Amino acid sequence: MSTISKKICLIGDYGVGKTSLIRRFVDRQFSDKYLSTVGVKISRKSIELSDSEQQKNITLQLLIWDIEGSTKFKGISASYFQGAKGAIIVGDVTRPESLENISEHIKAFSKVNPQGKTVVALNKSDLIDAEYLEKYCQLYSFSDNNSFVSTYASSAKSGTNVDEIFTTLAHSII
Ligand code: GDP
Ligand code: MG
């Protein structure tokens, strides 16, 4: 069995739920209070993945980078992205303008990491109807970008699709 570490980043507008998704995935918790992130915080979480080609299990340690809320993608410095193998791009389904910025966030990440992979999380899915979620998932798929893997409707509150987002990204980067 071997262990490898990979850096991934959470990217998205202020208040979309980046810190909450990490907290749900790493600590299995959710808080309604606003969890302000000061500067950059790095969380670690190891997951087991099976490598079907080599028929062995791999322990992947994710180094999950979380950044203080920024409303403009231009404000995120390239050093935050540097060395990352993947990113989770987060939007808030109750704030359409945060969804419109997703494609710019993907481009900014891909520019620094052309080989990197991205998964889109349309977060706070517990707050809107399922029919809208389906539409949003279709609308916010970016098959024209090489880094794009897939889009999920997620909820850090209920836990829906949170593990799926992280494990899908993990599989795509090893
Ligand atoms: P960040 O700025 O992107 O890190 O956003 P936070 O994780 O701090 O979340 C901002 C606010 O949205 C907080 O009040 C959270 O409790 C709330 N929030 C985050 N994710 C969800 C979710 O999936 N559903 C609901 N209902 N609220 C959420
Ligand atoms: Mg935060």
Side-chain angles (χ1 to χ4, degrees), residues 9 11-12 87-91 101-103 105-106 109 118-122:
C9 299
I11 307 171
I88 295 170
I89 319 292
V90 188
N101 289 334
I102 291 174
S103 88
H105 289 307
I106 295 179
F109 178 78
T118 55
V119 169
V120 173
L122 305 180

Side-chain angles (χ1 to χ4, degrees), residues 26-95:
V26 175
D27 304 325
R28 312 320 252 180
Q29 283 178 15
F30 176 79
S31 164
D32 272 315
K33 289 201 200 85
Y34 190 78
L35 320 158
S36 136
T37 313
V38 179
V40 173
K41 187 181 173 197
I42 303 168
S43 308
R44 290 180 174 73
K45 169 117 172 165
S46 292
I47 56 176
E48 301 288 322
L49 298 174
S50 57
D51 183 335
S52 49
E53 265 170 44
Q54 297 188 32
Q55 296 195 332
K56 62 173 186 182
N57 286 338
I58 301 169
T59 303
L60 175 62
Q61 185 186 52
L62 292 174
L63 305 173
I64 308 166
W65 287 48
D66 185 19
I67 200 169
E68 198 170 14
S70 62
T71 32
K72 292 203 177 69
F73 61 92
K74 288 188 186 86
I76 302 174
S77 92
S79 64
Y80 175 67
F81 298 149
Q82 221 103 58
K85 301 294 176 227
I88 295 170
I89 319 292
V90 188
D92 175 344
V93 290
T94 68
R95 283 159 52 210

Side-chain angles (χ1 to χ4, degrees), residues 75-166:
I76 302 174
S77 92
S79 64
Y80 175 67
F81 298 149
Q82 221 103 58
K85 301 294 176 227
I88 295 170
I89 319 292
V90 188
D92 175 344
V93 290
T94 68
R95 283 159 52 210
E97 77 282 3
S98 76
L99 303 177
E100 274 150 31
N101 289 334
I102 291 174
S103 88
E104 293 306 322
H105 289 307
I106 295 179
K107 279 183 206 149
F109 178 78
S110 309
K111 208 171 160 193
V112 178
N113 300 301
Q115 310 296 327
K117 297 289 172 196
T118 55
V119 169
V120 173
L122 305 180
N123 195 44
K124 308 196 188 180
S125 64
D126 55 286
L127 297 176
I128 68 165
D129 286 349
E131 54 176 312
Y132 291 112
L133 290 175
E134 222 168 279
K135 249 183 240 165
Y136 278 147
C137 283
Q138 284 168 8
L139 201 57
Y140 295 99
S141 286
F142 303 91
S143 325
D144 56 333
N145 189 300
N146 283 334
S147 77
F148 175 77
V149 181
S150 58
T151 298
Y152 289 92
S154 68
S155 170
K157 187 167 189 173
S158 72
T160 303
N161 279 339
V162 176
D163 285 355
E164 284 78 358
I165 290 163
F166 284 91

